[in-house]
Amino acid sequence: MGSISSLRTLVMAGLLGTSLAATTEQWKSRTIYQTMTDRFARTDGSTTSPCNTTEGVYCGGTWKGTIDKLDYIQGMGFDAIMISPVIENLEGRVSYGEAYHGYWPLDLYSLNSHFGTHQDLLDLSKALHDRGMYLMMDTVLNNMAYMTNGSDPATHIDYSALTPFNSSSYYHPYCKITDWNNYTNAQLCQTGDNIVALPDLYTEHSEVQEMLENWAKEIMSTYSIDGLRIDAAKHVTPSFLKNFGDAVNTFMTGEVMQQEVSTICEYQNNYIGSLPNYPIYYALLNAFTLGNTTALATQVQAMKSACSDVTALASFSENHDVARFASMTKDMALAKNVLTFTLLFDGVPIVYQGQEHHLDGGYSPVNREAIWLTEYKTDAELYKLISKLNAIRKHAARLDPQYVNMQTYTVFEGGSELGFRKGVDGRQVIMLLSTQGTEGGPYNLSMPVSFTGGTVATEVLNCVNYTVNELSELVVPMDKGEPRVFFPAELMPGSGLCGFPVSNVSYATLKTKAASTKAAAAASLGVKTMGNIAYSALFSLGLSVVASVVVGVL
């Protein structure tokens, strides 16, 4: 069993390096690949080892296995990963499985030996940072866990087995949540059941707060954790979320699974700077499973109006708690549109493992498939699409560091299309989405608001250039419900797309080159024009002489 308790003295004495925790602004330019450690990659590299998701048991994924697949993750353009909670969980199996997911904490100061050792986790952190990638740790603050196997949790929890919260005084008195939308009920009562009880920590108490804060700072320092996801943040005392965030001083995004804009924005404005953007998630499903494009456009505006900083939220379209998109519709074109929005909309994008392979598991636990069974194929359609979308997002941010702070707004609403723009004029990314699906036929669509007239825009997913007409309309050929993404052609060098290698080029450099190219072209055109004029003059003079001679002869 891996342990971090032996490092506590070193951390307190300042003998270990400080955490590399990154700020919200630093995370905004990142895109995150969410792994479920047990289901992502095995140490032995197997791509055939069976994993029955319905059994809910450990399947053998490890931190070492993850290290070996960082090329696969980075090949999609991701520069951060999220891993499952790392701490020791309950051992043993109940009727619905084992603690493979990491959400049944037993001992905060020991590691989950199923995932690896102390050195393995250090190695994973180092491997990521050596590549310039960030490490986000999923984190449980709301509760501990205890197997009651049908007994009453009110009387059958041995609190002494839990570390460091080994007394009932650290917990709320037992009660079962009866109304999940009643926040008092949801925050004071237990989220578990009488099979696996989840004793609810008394996070209003200063001692509990201090113990959690010290633990978090220690583990982040030990393993150089750059950011946190807070599981079940809705069930944590809201004021503690703010205190905890101030104490750990890093980017953290907290799960509040609610679709109401007012709820998510209230949390962001008062308690925690980032949350998964569930209001947009539900609107996205409405648009691309029901064809309700208006709902998505409306929700985009509502979030901007109510939240203090939409660009700090987490953009997603799948995770381990919701049904996969492909379980609702197998249509590949719709999946492409959803991913395009997820990666190019405001916020820090998070893509859940397996989304790149169009996996179709429904709700938990069947949406927690073993990724090794896909053989990590890099020629999958969505794998390649994600790579392109990450590339244009990073390129736009390189050319304008404020790009990630710019809000997306709707520029087109059609019967089955939505157009969105992000970025300042001249450097904007425009995505045009379709809800028609693969059965959609070919047609031309005129977007009245896009770029300045005369601009040549590259459709980066297919590497085709289009010139915006004098009315500033971008006429776009649509077909088979595929998304379109546009960027100024003169700014494509350095993007890693459409034949241009990746380079750390600046906007000023590209504009200077573009201006020089235009000037040279104009000069060349001028020489040709003057040459034509001179030739015409001489030709005309020759005709006049000939005419005069002819007239004289006559």
Side-chain angles (χ1 to χ4, degrees):
M1 180 182 301
S3 175
I4 62 173
S5 58
S6 60
L7 298 173
R8 189 180 314 178
T9 303
L10 293 175
V11 174
M12 297 300 290
L15 299 179
L16 288 178
T18 57
S19 169
L20 297 179
T23 65
T24 297
E25 287 304 309
Q26 289 172 312
W27 272 95
K28 283 183 179 181
S29 64
R30 301 277 167 158
T31 54
I32 304 169
Y33 185 78
Q34 179 191 355
T35 67
M36 178 161 273
T37 302
D38 180 66
R39 304 297 170 82
F40 179 61
R42 294 169 54 92
T43 299
D44 61 12
S46 173
T47 57
T48 58
S49 182
C51 180
N52 186 334
T53 56
T54 59
E55 290 184 348
V57 297
Y58 283 101
C59 288
T62 63
W63 296 318
K64 276 189 175 181
T66 300
I67 293 171
D68 292 339
K69 294 303 176 185
L70 292 183
D71 283 347
Y72 170 82
I73 295 172
Q74 211 167 20
M76 285 180 278
F78 292 105
D79 47 18
I81 72 167
M82 183 201 306
I83 59 174
S84 302
V86 303
I87 59 176
E88 182 183 0
N89 271 228
L90 295 178
E91 283 295 339
R93 182 172 179 176
V94 296
S95 58
Y96 44 79
E98 299 172 325
Y100 70 92
H101 40 67
Y103 297 117
W104 295 347
L106 177 69
D107 182 352
L108 299 192
Y109 284 97
S110 294
L111 297 178
N112 190 328
S113 59
H114 291 272
F115 299 159
T117 66
H118 164 67
Q119 189 60 50
D120 293 339
L121 187 51
L122 286 175
D123 290 345
L124 173 58
S125 178
K126 183 178 186 302
L128 286 164
H129 292 124
D130 285 349
R131 293 167 177 258
M133 299 175 73
Y134 282 176
L135 175 59
M136 175 175 280
M137 179 179 71
D138 203 350
T139 309
V140 180
L141 297 179
N142 180 65
N143 55 266
M144 300 296 283
Y146 190 85
M147 286 186 184
T148 49
N149 281 315
S151 299
D152 185 356
T155 56
H156 286 77
I157 295 176
D158 178 7
Y159 292 99
S160 67
L162 308 177
T163 303
F165 303 105
N166 56 5
S167 167
S168 61
S169 62
Y170 291 121
Y171 302 88
H172 292 128
Y174 175 78
C175 58
K176 186 177 181 180
I177 296 176
T178 55
D179 182 356
W180 292 80
N181 291 316
N182 180 319
Y183 275 63
T184 300
N185 188 233
Q187 289 162 9
L188 298 181
C189 297
Q190 292 193 19
T191 55
D193 54 30
N194 66 352
I195 304 297
V196 176
L198 301 177
D200 201 74
L201 284 166
Y202 186 11
T203 50
E204 304 96 312
H205 196 285
S206 59
E207 185 179 0
V208 173
Q209 292 188 12
E210 185 177 0
M211 291 168 72
L212 285 170
E213 290 163 3
N214 288 340
W215 163 78
K217 287 186 285 188
E218 178 177 334
I219 197 169
M220 290 179 68
S221 177
T222 301
Y223 298 109
S224 300
I225 306 295
D226 301 291
L228 302 174
R229 173 191 179 267
I230 307 301
D231 183 63
K234 170 183 175 178
H235 301 282
V236 178
T237 304
S239 59
F240 172 57
L241 289 174
K242 186 177 188 312
N243 294 343
F244 182 81
D246 291 342
V248 299
N249 192 30
T250 189
F251 174 75
M252 62 183 202
T253 187
E255 178 203 17
V256 177
M257 194 184 290
Q258 296 288 142
Q259 61 181 309
E260 296 82 12
V261 172
S262 58
T263 299
I264 298 302
C265 293
E266 180 185 359
Y267 265 87
Q268 185 188 43
N269 298 345
N270 296 289
Y271 306 120
I272 183 169
S274 176
L275 304 91
N277 198 334
Y278 271 99
I280 289 294
Y281 164 74
Y282 286 110
L284 195 61
L285 293 188
N286 278 338
F288 292 99
T289 63
L290 302 176
N292 187 356
T293 56
T294 301
L296 180 56
T298 300
Q299 203 76 310
V300 166
Q301 183 57 43
M303 292 296 292
K304 290 192 295 183
S305 300
C307 280
S308 58
D309 185 5
V310 178
T311 66
L313 300 178
S315 171
F316 74 99
S317 45
E318 288 187 11
N319 64 36
H320 60 293
D321 287 325
V322 300
R324 290 192 182 272
F325 183 75
S327 72
M328 305 172 202
T329 171
K330 299 293 192 296
D331 193 290
M332 181 62 77
L334 293 176
K336 289 180 179 180
N337 280 274
V338 165
L339 271 168
T340 299
F341 184 88
T342 301
L343 284 159
L344 298 184
F345 182 60
D346 300 336
V348 183
I350 302 178
V351 173
Y352 177 46
Q353 63 174 39
Q355 197 167 355
E356 70 274 21
H357 292 290
H358 204 43
L359 298 186
D360 60 1
Y363 285 96
S364 171
V366 296
N367 61 349
R368 299 171 177 183
E369 305 95 329
I371 303 307
W372 54 81
L373 297 177
T374 69
E375 299 180 348
Y376 307 100
K377 293 178 180 177
T378 58
D379 60 352
E381 279 191 74
L382 298 184
Y383 183 100
K384 293 186 288 186
L385 173 68
I386 291 169
S387 176
K388 292 178 181 180
L389 295 170
N390 267 327
I392 195 61
R393 183 181 189 271
K394 291 180 189 303
H395 187 56
R398 276 195 300 269
L399 298 185
D400 180 7
Q402 286 304 308
Y403 173 81
V404 293
N405 290 311
M406 302 289 291
Q407 292 184 337
T408 296
Y409 62 89
T410 307
V411 294
F412 182 80
E413 289 186 60
S416 58
E417 305 90 8
L418 278 172
F420 297 98
R421 165 182 165 159
K422 185 179 178 72
V424 297
D425 194 41
R427 281 176 273 185
Q428 67 265 45
V429 174
I430 290 180
M431 55 175 157
L432 180 58
L433 309 178
S434 170
T435 63
Q436 291 191 10
T438 53
E439 298 301 316
Y443 63 99
N444 285 342
L445 184 147
S446 295
M447 287 185 64
V449 179
S450 57
F451 300 91
T452 304
T455 299
V456 178
T458 299
E459 199 288 291
V460 302
L461 302 183
N462 297 287
C463 298
V464 178
N465 285 351
Y466 299 92
T467 301
V468 179
N469 67 26
E470 65 278 4
L471 299 177
S472 295
E473 293 174 329
L474 181 61
V475 180
V476 183
M478 302 292 286
D479 194 16
K480 298 179 181 177
E482 295 276 332
R484 304 283 188 254
V485 178
F486 298 93
F487 196 65
E490 66 181 15
L491 301 182
M492 286 296 291
S495 65
L497 294 165
C498 302
F500 294 104
V502 177
S503 64
N504 193 24
V505 67
S506 70
Y507 173 70
T509 298
L510 289 181
K511 289 299 289 184
T512 299
K513 286 183 178 179
S516 298
T517 300
K518 288 178 181 177
S524 174
L525 180 62
V527 169
K528 290 179 180 178
T529 301
M530 289 303 295
N532 288 337
I533 292 173
Y535 178 80
S536 297
L538 289 173
F539 183 72
S540 298
L541 178 60
L543 286 178
S544 298
V545 171
V546 171
S548 298
V549 171
V550 171
V551 170
V553 170
L554 293 173

